[in-house]
Amino acid sequence: MKSSVEQLDPTRVKISVDVPYAELKPSVDEAYKTIGAQVTVPGFRQGKVPAQIIDQRIGRPAVIQEAVNNGLDGFYRDAVEENDLKPMGQPEVEISEVPGLDGTEDGDLTFTVEVDVRPEITLPAYDSISVEVDPIEVTEEDVDAELEQLRTRFGTLSSVDRPAAKDDFVTLDLVATIDGEEIDTASDISYQVGAGTMLEGMDEALDGLSAEETTTFETTFAGGEHAGETGSVSITLSAVKVRELPEADDDFAQLASEFDTIAELREDLREQAGKQKETDQGEQARDKVLESLTETLDVPVPEKIVADEVERHLESESRVDDDEHRKEVTEETERNLRTQFILDAISEAEEVEVTQPELIEYLISASQQYGMNPNEFAQMLDNSGQVNALVGEVTRRKALAAALAGAIVKDTNGNVIDMEEFTSPPEDEAPEDAEGSESVVVTDAEVDDKN
């Protein structure tokens, strides 16, 4: 087999392939066996029909077509490997010559394939990347904020006889309609006024509303089958409550922690705030290094893959005709692809590999975000064929960590920040799952298969 590659643009190639009949013949022989097992010819046992009879009954062109269909993918993959290509998306194949149709064993199977490929990226030296981050400074206000969060966890809700105001907690019933037709109802909903997590216009409607009162407001629905449509929502308030916080004293310290005094508790909260600021600083550095790479490197993206992904996204939202949103989704898709290409290039250059403990650690973290048991989450990913995507995500995170480890990171005070602790891989041991039950089932073989 001979193949050659023509670069159509930075992210698309045309592969020309010539396969001698001798290399196609195993597929032809297999095609005769397959067809012979499917046809019934008097005087011959099924599966034992001679090739000449099949040619007479079915036709030689049908056999050759079967052989080409079965062998084409293998020849394409051989050409991809021979030319060290990294294809993406669905290839477009055009066959120009098919040998053996006249019964001879001469000529070549000739075809071309157009396919999108990953662009070639020349990475900069990591120490040429310099970013600036916020310094770690734990203030009394930070400690107060940590203490306030802790007090909130131990707070209690009490009913009040007054109109609802921002930050109050309310219990309400809701009826949504479009053009007078009811589309949804819900009862005994608990909501904090001002949270902004439900319907647009709801916070304004609740402000000043008292228990047993009803009001109606107009809104644009953001999700479900009526996403983007405008309708009316009627809400009836049944209770207004405020959160009462415990006093921040020694009694509270003993209730909420292992410490005897509020002073000891505050000191521990100061340390926690400092650790959180270290994490925030590392994440800020990581994001800025990635931003520097994407801004510095001129990485082309495949137009067809972008267009297909944008169309799929807009169809899922029923917003195909929203030109402004199409532009936003296109820009986001292009940005995500560029980021992926850069991190994949770093991963290849650094020969990044994902270990089982790293995969399990990420899986547990992701499962917690979805509120699922890690084992059930792992099973869901496996059933939906998403394990490759999970491994890819972990690989890219490690690739970015490699770039961050080599970059120069300073805070705004001019101090050089050591990113070693933030970029160090986890210890080589499998963590327990979030509920302390059996460890997540992911085998070494599964990890190796995905790398």
Side-chain angles (χ1 to χ4, degrees):
M1 188 190 81
K2 296 185 296 186
S3 65
S4 60
V5 176
E6 177 187 355
Q7 195 82 35
L8 301 179
D9 63 41
T11 60
R12 193 166 180 83
V13 298
K14 182 178 182 179
I15 311 170
S16 299
V17 183
D18 294 314
V19 183
Y21 183 85
E23 295 184 33
L24 180 63
K25 191 174 186 308
S27 295
V28 175
D29 295 340
E30 189 62 31
Y32 274 116
K33 290 180 181 179
T34 300
I35 294 173
Q38 296 171 347
V39 298
T40 301
V41 179
F44 297 95
R45 285 181 297 164
Q46 198 163 19
K48 299 295 182 179
V49 183
Q52 297 90 330
I53 302 300
I54 292 176
D55 287 346
Q56 293 173 8
R57 292 295 186 96
I58 306 299
R60 173 79 168 179
V63 177
I64 296 298
Q65 185 63 52
E66 175 80 8
V68 170
N69 289 342
N70 291 338
L72 199 61
D73 184 64
F75 297 135
Y76 163 65
R77 292 181 183 279
D78 289 344
V80 165
E81 184 176 351
E82 181 179 297
N83 294 279
D84 194 24
L85 299 174
K86 301 179 180 67
M88 302 178 62
Q90 192 69 24
E92 298 176 1
V93 181
E94 183 177 336
I95 300 173
S96 54
E97 293 184 24
V98 179
L101 295 175
D102 56 0
T104 66
E105 297 188 355
D106 298 324
D108 295 343
L109 169 63
T110 302
F111 64 95
T112 59
V113 182
E114 287 193 19
V115 66
D116 291 312
V117 294
R118 293 181 180 274
E120 295 294 328
I121 299 176
T122 302
L123 296 170
Y126 302 143
D127 59 8
S128 69
I129 304 171
S130 180
V131 298
E132 192 175 66
V133 297
D134 297 329
I136 296 177
E137 297 174 350
V138 180
T139 65
E140 288 302 314
E141 288 75 15
D142 295 324
V143 179
D144 290 341
E146 292 285 334
L147 181 58
E148 187 71 11
Q149 289 183 14
L150 188 59
R151 291 174 65 206
T152 298
R153 286 171 50 191
F154 285 84
T156 57
L157 294 179
S158 300
S159 296
V160 291
D161 185 17
R162 61 166 174 75
K166 187 176 183 299
D167 295 330
D168 286 346
F169 291 83
V170 296
T171 304
L172 56 90
D173 298 336
L174 174 152
V175 178
T177 61
I178 294 180
D179 296 331
E181 181 180 349
E182 184 177 301
I183 63 168
D184 196 12
T185 63
S187 301
D188 294 327
I189 298 174
S190 296
Y191 180 70
Q192 185 175 18
V193 181
T197 56
M198 290 192 68
L199 297 167
E200 181 182 349
M202 185 167 173
D203 288 320
E204 291 79 3
L206 286 170
D207 191 11
L209 196 67
S210 297
E212 308 305 327
E213 289 186 343
T214 299
T215 190
T216 301
F217 64 96
E218 299 294 311
T219 190
T220 300
F221 300 106
E225 59 179 312
H226 298 286
E229 297 184 49
T230 300
S232 298
V233 177
S234 173
I235 51 177
T236 300
L237 216 58
S238 57
V240 179
K241 300 179 181 180
V242 294
R243 175 178 277 147
E244 296 181 348
L245 303 184
E247 290 294 327
D249 53 20
D250 292 347
D251 289 339
F252 174 69
Q254 294 166 24
L255 170 68
S257 71
E258 72 272 27
F259 302 106
D260 294 326
T261 67
I262 191 66
E264 291 174 315
L265 175 58
R266 286 183 65 89
E267 190 59 34
D268 182 69
L269 293 175
R270 184 183 302 277
E271 292 182 12
Q272 292 183 34
K275 291 178 181 178
Q276 182 58 51
K277 282 181 176 283
E278 287 181 7
T279 300
D280 294 343
Q281 187 186 65
E283 292 176 350
Q284 184 184 20
R286 180 193 62 198
D287 293 344
K288 287 198 171 186
V289 165
L290 181 57
E291 182 182 350
S292 175
L293 285 166
T294 54
E295 289 180 352
T296 301
L297 297 172
D298 183 16
V299 180
V301 294
E303 293 181 6
K304 187 175 185 306
I305 288 181
V306 171
D308 289 347
E309 174 60 24
V310 169
E311 201 67 23
R312 183 200 63 76
H313 182 96
L314 294 177
E315 286 178 355
S316 70
E317 296 182 330
S318 301
R319 300 177 67 177
V320 174
D321 297 326
D322 189 336
D323 292 338
E324 183 176 350
H325 187 51
R326 177 180 292 273
K327 181 180 178 182
E328 295 173 354
V329 174
T330 299
E331 291 174 352
E332 180 69 16
T333 302
E334 290 178 345
R335 182 163 52 250
N336 290 341
L337 268 178
R338 288 192 180 95
T339 298
Q340 178 180 316
F341 290 158
I342 291 170
L343 296 180
D344 286 347
I346 295 174
S347 174
E348 184 175 333
E350 299 297 323
E351 299 181 346
V352 172
E353 295 182 354
V354 177
T355 65
Q356 186 186 43
E358 290 168 336
L359 183 61
I360 292 175
E361 181 184 54
Y362 183 77
L363 187 149
I364 290 175
S365 175
S367 69
Q368 290 173 341
Q369 294 178 15
Y370 288 94
M372 295 181 64
N373 175 279
N375 280 318
E376 294 175 354
F377 185 67
Q379 188 65 44
M380 181 194 73
L381 291 174
D382 188 41
N383 292 339
S384 60
Q386 294 297 308
V387 176
N388 268 339
L390 181 71
V391 175
E393 178 66 20
V394 178
T395 302
R396 292 180 187 117
R397 282 174 172 264
K398 290 188 67 176
L400 181 53
L404 175 58
I408 298 174
V409 180
K410 296 182 180 180
D411 65 20
T412 53
N413 295 327
N415 301 311
V416 176
I417 309 299
D418 184 2
M419 290 284 106
E420 181 177 358
E421 181 176 347
F422 188 78
T423 59
S424 297
E427 294 183 6
D428 193 21
E429 58 181 28
E432 295 181 352
D433 67 28
E435 298 180 7
S437 59
E438 296 179 358
S439 60
V440 179
V441 181
V442 181
T443 67
D444 289 320
E446 287 177 299
V447 176
D448 293 339
D449 287 344
K450 305 303 184 278
N451 281 325

